[in-house]
Amino acid sequence: MTGFLAAVKRAAVEAVEAGKPVAIVNGSIESVTPLRVRLDPKLTLTSAQIIVPAGGGFGVETERLDDAGAHGLIVRENSLARFNAGDSVILLRTNGGQRYLLLGRGKT
């Protein structure tokens, strides 16, 4: 009987997770270093909970010309360099609600 109850419980959990695999949430950056984002008065995310896309995500990518006019050095700035404390951001809550993907700036 215990195996049957475990199977029913597992099926119920999977059904709930399948119904809401992700959610879009708004937050406000409390600090950039270390990264902290407040979602509501009772919930503040730390950098361990936030996934920040590398490279092409929010980073500013520029190509510089060398003295001879040839294209050369590509500079990739820190993905969080454009954010400041107080900025509104949009995050995607992953399945289970333990990790959040930083999508970009929200309305100001």
Side-chain angles (χ1 to χ4, degrees):
M1 189 67 150
T2 306
F4 174 75
L5 291 176
V8 170
K9 182 178 178 181
R10 187 172 44 249
V13 169
E14 289 174 2
V16 169
E17 288 178 355
K20 293 194 300 186
V22 295
I24 297 173
V25 296
N26 294 309
S28 176
I29 294 184
E30 280 196 343
S31 69
V32 177
T33 306
L35 180 59
R36 293 176 55 84
V37 175
R38 179 169 298 283
L39 298 185
D40 62 44
K42 295 182 180 180
L43 180 59
T44 300
L45 304 176
T46 63
S47 59
Q49 298 168 287
I50 303 169
I51 303 165
V52 179
F58 307 111
V60 178
E61 203 168 280
T62 58
E63 188 172 350
R64 296 184 182 164
L65 300 177
D66 64 14
D67 292 338
H71 292 276
L73 178 64
I74 294 180
V75 178
R76 288 186 176 88
E77 295 179 14
N78 181 340
S79 293
L80 294 171
R82 298 181 347 177
F83 292 98
N84 297 307
D87 285 352
S88 177
V89 291
I90 300 171
L91 300 106
L92 188 68
R93 186 188 71 207
T94 60
N95 196 0
Q98 299 301 313
R99 301 287 306 261
Y100 293 76
L101 174 65
L102 183 60
L103 295 176
R105 245 180 244 283
K107 288 186 177 182
T108 56

